[in-house]
Amino acid sequence: MMEFENQTFEDTDLHSLALNDDVNNNNTSPSSRSNGAVNGAVNHPLSSSSLPFAEIPTTDDDDVNSNNNNNPLLTSSSQNPNSFNSVLEPPSYADAVFGSFDGKQTNGAGAVAGAGATSSDYLKISITDPVKEQDPVNSLVPGGNTFVTYLITTWTNIVEYGGTEFTVRRRFRDIVTLSDRLADSHRGYFIPLRPDKSVVESQVMQKQEFVEQRRVALEKYLRKLAAHPVIRKSEELRLFLQVQGKLPLMRTTDVASRMLDGAARLPKQLFGESVVCAAVDPSDVAQPAKGGRDLLRMFKELRQSVVNDWGGTKPPVVEEDKEFLEKRKKMQDFELELTNVSQQAEAFVKAQQDMGETLGQLGLTFVKLTKFETEEAVFNSQKVRAADMKNAATSAVKASRLFRELNAQTVRHLDKLHEYLGVILAMNNAYADRSNALLTVQTLLSELANLNSRIEKLEATASKIFGGDRSRVRKIEELKETMRVTEEAKNCAVREYERIKANNKSELERLDKERHDDFFSMLKGFVVNQAGYAEKMASVWETVASETSGYAA
Amino acid sequence: MTTTSVNPNDGLQSPRSPFLSVSVTDPAKMGNGVQAYISYKVITKTNFPEYQGSEKIVIRRYSDFVWLYDRLFEKYKGNFIPPLPEKNTVEKFRFSAEFIEVRRQALDTFVNRVASHHQLQQSDDLRIFLEADEQTMERARSQDTGIFKKKQTDLMQIFRDVQSKVTDVVMGKEKPVEESNPEYEKLKRYIFELEDHVAEAQKHAYRLVKRHRELGQSLADFGKAIKLLGACEKDALGTAFTELGAKSEMLSIKLQRKAHHLLMNFEKPLKDYVRAVQSIKGTIAERANAFRQQCELAEQIKLKEIDLNKLRILRSERMLDAEHEYEELKAEGQEATKRFEAIALLMNEEIVRFQDQKTQDLGRAFHEFAKGQARLAHAIADAWRSLIPKLDSLSVS
């Protein structure tokens, strides 16, 4: 979110259809980490059609350059504020328009952009050059199994990266991997959601439009990752951005592919044996059970969650943090209202667009009528009328163009609302991490209690038998050993839970601060935008009004 | 809109200069259910000698106006009769306040234009319309409604058409029933094409009105939603949202008002323009009729002449009668020619006036349109601008 402003300038500077982002979000996706559900219903009216960018008659391009950050991409494209080819279009002018409306630009510079990077370290990413490639190995079907790779270029001065510029080629599958691994290793953090997979991937892949949309979405995603104070320093991201060739991250930890591992250990676990060996690492509890290797653990946690929900007794440990619970409720309310606002914002944008369109059509009709009257003029009054009409017509057309520009920018501003819906999803995921970790703790505590009672029972019966029962004694020993390991695991789980709680808290603070900054800049940008364009339109109409003042009643 | 014919100053009446000023006001719903209709008060102030008094108020309904239009159309061929607003048979809108107001204004404009037209204002039918009591009005209305008269003429027309066509065939030539006046041809083409253009413009103008309403509505909804969001937030941000929401709602009202203004001051004149052009088409048809009549009579006269000469040669007793008939026909022919030429002459005058009038009307419409748009845009700009310092102070608090 922090780099949203820079992001968008870069996006739209180089690639005109950043607004198409949201199209991706319509696809449903099985993965929990994508933002498909969020924007399912939300589809910018402008996103699917390519915005017809009008050439702009006025050039208010003062102070464009003074508003830039140390952003190589931004400055380069702003150097040509008057180049209105369809690729560069409104963004460069849009910057200019922004600049002319308030002396110091609030959205590009200052607090918002630099929030995450307290020092001057930067991590800039750009995605270009989609290329269709073929999987050399698996081609049973000749020509089948093609995919697209993207060129990912990184500029950075972060120390851990040990370099300043890197280039790699990655495919979408790699993004999914990155996303999944980040989710595993950064539990409790509000991790930005990756773009959706496409259901009909191979067919859709052919279309140029889709590839372009995806490229834009991926770029946005990586930039969001780069903006996150913790994730930008993560190993996973670095590997993704730096390492040439095959991505050195585990593709998946899903149960199916780990069946072999898990199934091999299952018998041992069931019989409670060899729990000491390194095959079962207590710190595994730090990983979520779902998608994990441990089938048995999954069963146990499932049982525990059922007990939690339906059992009569209170679970051993519950979410106590009142502050957390309060905040969560508030965020739920916030999410509800935000969704509503985002829908209304869409309707508003659509209404603005319609207005611009109708004005344009009206103008064109008058232009035609003017031409007609001029050609067919028999009387002088006709010529006069034609002249009046022409003024009105050109003004209507001008106003129509202004509306279109206004709308393009309104969309950019109000896009923030949609973004935050995504952030809230990320937050919900982080909260889910927390619940899962808590569940693990609860499960282990139950298990400890269970083991304890079994030990006690055995000890009780063993003492009754004279001389003890060797098999029973051995059993007790084993159980005690299991209990020791389980105790270790529980401690691990508790630590993990506390860690996640801490992450939640710090992220929430970060979110609050960013939300404050982001929304203020959104509101201000929106208001300045509306005011500025209204003034422009007023002056256009004033001209016509004064030209026709002779007819005033 | 009350306009006077000759004397613009209603108050200071110099008794010498004639004036006739009319206004249509006070729409009121009469009757119930399906039979319900709207009645209007028509107030006349005049010093025309033919009129009963200097001031008169009567109650009229839409069909009375239609009667007047038809009568004028019948009697004053060649003149462009000012257009009437259309019938609206859609039940839903018949009694909506907006529709009634729009219609009232259009009727007012209609009567005023008739009253200011130096030929039409002399009409007896106009006087009846403005003065007669309800019974007389109703009688006049049912007696010879223009429609019936038209139908009669049509019937005769068809009859004559057939006659003429047969004659043509017999005579072995196709007669052009159209004038071969190139200027007039140009005018006809102009009128027909103009109708399309203006109709399109009016359509878009109407849509623009709708767009204003829609934008207003969406701003209202947006404002409300933002206010709710503001309620969720605490402190400064919450206040900011609330302020923005309130501004949006305020602007939404302005937009709705603008929509109405646009309808009355921009769409209406365009609508009027369309109707005027359509009315002219009616006059064109009348001229064509008159021309055709003239042609046919000319045909008949020729035939009669041939006939007469035959009879002269044969020295028949029927010759006197035939001569008589021939003279009659010639007189009729002259009449028809006079009628046609009168229409043509009138039309030429009218078209000049029409063009002038339209330039005025449209000029004013554009002016109002531009003024309104400018005013709205300023209001919007001011409203949003006023919010900026507040946002600034809130964002740092």
Side-chain angles (χ1 to χ4, degrees), chain B residues 231-280:
Chain B
C232 279
E233 284 285 352
K234 56 188 184 314
D235 312 326
L237 192 53
T239 315
F241 278 133
T242 310
E243 296 273 342
L244 190 89
K247 271 289 185 278
S248 303
E249 287 179 328
M250 184 268 273
L251 284 175
S252 146
I253 296 174
K254 284 215 187 334
L255 273 163
Q256 298 292 1
R257 260 195 236 131
K258 177 60 170 52
H260 183 76
H261 174 266
L262 206 57
L263 181 74
M264 290 298 159
N265 293 295
F266 186 61
E267 194 265 350
K268 197 164 77 80
L270 284 174
K271 193 85 209 254
D272 188 60
Y273 199 172
V274 175
R275 291 194 197 116
V277 176
Q278 285 167 345
S279 184
I280 295 177

Side-chain angles (χ1 to χ4, degrees), chain B residues 311-326:
Chain B
L311 289 177
R312 279 218 181 99
I313 292 169
L314 294 175
R315 292 192 183 271
S316 154
E317 318 88 46
R318 288 204 292 127
M319 192 185 78
L320 273 173
D321 283 334
E323 253 178 29
H324 192 55
E325 278 165 24
Y326 176 68

Side-chain angles (χ1 to χ4, degrees), chain B residues 76-87:
Chain B
Y76 291 85
K77 304 207 180 174
N79 290 111
F80 295 167
I81 316 295
L84 270 182
E86 298 88 357
K87 275 179 99 64

Side-chain angles (χ1 to χ4, degrees), chain B residues 94-111:
Chain B
R94 231 160 34 106
F95 296 109
S96 83
E98 190 178 89
F99 173 73
I100 291 172
E101 175 56 18
V102 170
R103 178 174 268 197
R104 186 201 62 76
Q105 281 191 25
L107 292 174
D108 186 275
T109 307
F110 166 72
V111 179

